[in-house]
Amino acid sequence: MQIFKVGGVVRDRLLGIPVTDVDRVVVGATTEEMLAQGFRPVGADFPVFLHPKTGEEYALARTERKSGRGYGGFTFHASPDVTLEEDLIRRDLTINAMAEDDQQNLTDPYHGQRDLEARILRHVSPAFAEDPLRVLRVARFAARYASLGFTVAPETLELMRQLSESGELQALTAERSWKEISRALIEDQPQVFIQVLRDCGALKELMPEVDALFGVPQPEVHHPEIDTGLHTLSVLEQSALHKQPLTVRWACLLHDLGKGLTPEEEWPRHIAHEHTGLKLIKAVNERFKAPKDCQELALLVGKYHTHCHRALELKASTLLELLQSFDVYRRPQRFEEFIGACEMDARGRKGLEQRSYPQADYLRGAAQAARVVAVQPLLEKGFKGPELGEALKRERLKALKAYKDKASA
Ligand code: ATP
Ligand code: MG
């Protein structure tokens, strides 16, 4: 049997980028031989094994053929007579379809190295169209390598467009899609992921609610970039520049969905978009089965981002309601993420990226003022049950009024 490193590890070594995980392909072996050598089989779908000592992945060389809709509709053929070239041709991009042996001798039948040098993401063969997930993968690689100058080959983008139009993207499971989306959002240029999906018509299929924001105007005084879609891309870009976590980036992507529902007669204003957007945010959350923390933050940011922008003008009672809604006493981290997303929203405006955002520290201070109100004295006064809750609220309101007075003095 012959063993080769394959895929991302070869690509990233040639790019001079640190390699995170190492995939290997085994040519000329059977499952029985792998098991006899102590390899542990993983998953029932493919002939993939874990090395008994290192735990790294070794896959038997295989060919694939599409036999139905979706990812389940694949039949594969793994046997000792499948060659390295046959295994490489089923891969998505030429830069991912290179292999090397222990001496770093390169096998590159589909000219991955040439495309690497030309900074091009190009599909290997027309079989690309057999797995719609590849549309998301290409967009994700575009986001990851945008800073190196990579772009999608026009003929690959055309294939992605055909795949999107065919409706095949609807056959993707939430789990597979979310894995790509979440990985793409934590790349350095997540906005490129959305842009590429839009360019090939996939955004309309996957997240029509986000696609609908393009072409929707906002008032130029607040939003010099005008277009709500472009604004969303900028907010996402800021979220990466400021190293925000996935939860915040997801909330950034969805915060303005309500603006896509505004009747044209009302443009460029978007009265109550925070409220109208909630059902759309919920729909997108559920479509991809986003993790609970992502879902929750996206809804809260959607509902309250304008409150954050107006923080300095809010009455003490409104401030208190905001803090209560976030359960800021028990969930300080979530409130911090909310502030982060709102700050990205403010910075994601053309020409205003560097403007200070005093609302952030102001809200942090307000949360702190409410948080330090002690329960003990109220207990000592004999309050309990719902009355204790009311008394605590009154004290917090007092504290917030004092905070406001001090801040405006
Ligand atoms: P990363 O650095 O994100 O791990 P990678 O290229 O190693 O990038 P993996 O998802 O680990 O990506 O997949 C390993 C290799 O398997 C890829 O380089 C590619 O050759 C192939 N591959 C993975 N998923 C697909 C797919 N859906 N269609 C075609 N080829 C795929
Ligand atoms: Mg990998």
Side-chain angles (χ1 to χ4, degrees):
M1 76 172 72
Q2 285 177 293
I3 296 175
F4 300 88
K5 288 184 185 163
V6 70
V9 54
V10 182
R11 177 197 66 219
D12 288 344
R13 184 183 66 76
L14 290 171
L15 282 172
I17 291 175
V19 171
T20 43
D21 79 324
V22 180
D23 299 301
R24 290 186 178 77
V25 63
V26 184
V27 178
T30 62
T31 294
E32 292 69 31
E33 284 166 336
M34 297 298 283
L35 296 176
Q37 295 207 13
F39 282 90
R40 284 174 286 132
V42 270
D45 293 356
F46 297 117
V48 180
F49 302 87
L50 297 182
H51 190 278
K53 293 216 179 69
T54 64
E56 289 178 333
E57 269 192 31
Y58 289 66
L60 292 188
R62 67 176 189 259
T63 59
E64 284 175 353
R65 220 161 11 93
K66 194 170 173 64
S67 55
R69 234 177 119 81
Y71 196 57
F74 262 105
T75 51
F76 68 86
H77 167 73
S79 88
D81 59 27
V82 175
T83 65
L84 183 57
E85 284 74 10
E86 284 170 334
D87 179 276
L88 293 175
I89 202 169
R90 71 173 170 81
R91 293 170 185 269
D92 47 7
L93 295 171
T94 59
I95 63 165
N96 288 344
M98 297 182 276
E100 66 183 22
D101 64 15
D102 279 345
Q103 280 76 51
Q104 294 190 346
N105 295 310
L106 200 65
T107 302
D108 181 19
Y110 310 109
H111 309 296
Q113 207 174 13
R114 190 177 66 194
D115 286 338
L116 211 59
E117 275 156 23
R119 304 296 198 233
I120 289 176
L121 303 170
R122 191 195 312 278
H123 65 284
V124 177
S125 87
F128 179 91
E130 293 182 354
D131 178 7
L133 190 76
R134 292 170 189 159
V135 172
L136 283 92
R137 282 179 60 89
V138 174
R140 172 166 69 82
F141 284 116
R144 184 189 293 179
Y145 296 123
S147 53
L148 296 177
F150 277 84
T151 55
V152 182
E155 64 270 30
T156 301
L157 200 66
E158 182 50 38
L159 253 184
M160 291 160 72
R161 181 173 300 123
Q162 288 169 17
L163 249 169
S164 303
E165 278 169 9
S166 75
E168 271 282 305
L169 290 172
Q170 304 301 337
L172 288 171
T173 62
E175 289 74 12
R176 289 188 88 209
S177 299
W178 177 255
K179 200 168 158 221
E180 291 301 324
I181 293 167
S182 56
R183 290 180 76 186
L185 289 180
I186 55 171
E187 294 291 354
D188 282 348
Q189 303 217 36
Q191 76 282 7
V192 173
F193 175 70
I194 301 297
Q195 182 68 59
V196 169
L197 291 180
R198 177 168 150 75
D199 290 345
C200 70
L203 192 61
K204 202 162 67 194
E205 292 291 310
L206 296 166
M207 300 183 200
E209 300 87 347
V210 177
D211 195 65
L213 300 178
F214 291 85
V216 173
Q218 308 165 98
E220 193 173 355
V221 273
H222 300 301
H223 284 282
E225 73 286 350
I226 300 178
D227 188 276
T228 311
L230 295 184
H231 165 60
T232 300
L233 293 180
S234 299
V235 178
L236 213 45
E237 181 179 6
Q238 290 297 320
S239 76
L241 283 171
H242 290 267
K243 307 274 178 238
Q244 296 288 348
L246 174 64
T247 45
V248 172
R249 297 184 189 201
W250 180 243
C252 286
L253 177 63
L254 305 184
H255 78 284
D256 263 348
L257 292 188
K259 290 183 178 172
L261 293 176
T262 309
E264 273 190 51
E265 318 77 87
E266 290 178 23
W267 287 359
R269 299 188 65 204
H270 299 278
I271 303 148
H273 74 277
E274 302 85 351
H275 179 73
T276 56
L278 291 179
K279 59 178 184 292
L280 303 186
I281 296 174
K282 188 162 178 280
V284 180
N285 270 339
E286 288 173 1
R287 185 172 316 138
F288 299 107
K289 298 189 185 154
K292 191 160 171 270
D293 55 350
C294 288
Q295 294 209 15
E296 226 176 58
L297 191 70
L299 285 165
L300 286 166
V301 170
K303 190 165 175 188
Y304 293 114
H305 60 274
T306 311
H307 275 67
C308 188
H309 300 328
R310 298 233 176 97
L312 281 75
E313 304 146 41
L314 296 181
K315 292 186 297 188
S317 58
T318 314
L319 266 178
L320 179 63
E321 278 168 36
L322 182 70
L323 298 175
Q324 301 279 103
S325 305
F326 275 84
D327 191 9
V328 79
Y329 320 103
R330 280 183 296 180
R331 306 279 305 270
Q333 180 61 28
R334 184 173 66 175
F335 192 61
E336 189 52 44
E337 291 179 1
F338 163 71
I339 294 173
C342 296
E343 181 171 344
M344 299 307 109
D345 182 22
R347 293 188 184 282
R349 297 182 297 164
K350 198 165 167 229
L352 303 177
E353 295 84 354
Q354 308 299 333
R355 187 185 268 189
S356 67
Y357 190 69
Q359 292 92 328
D361 275 342
Y362 181 80
L363 276 188
R364 287 184 187 111
Q368 187 55 18
R371 205 178 285 130
V372 295
V373 170
V375 189
Q376 196 55 35
L378 300 174
L379 288 170
E380 280 163 16
K381 282 186 192 157
F383 287 110
K384 42 180 178 296
E387 284 184 356
L388 177 64
E390 286 307 312
L392 197 52
K393 260 170 106 170
R394 277 197 303 276
E395 291 304 313
R396 283 171 176 161
L397 188 60
K398 252 197 252 167
L400 286 171
K401 280 186 176 142
Y403 174 75
K404 252 186 90 69
D405 289 345
K406 205 171 145 217
S408 54

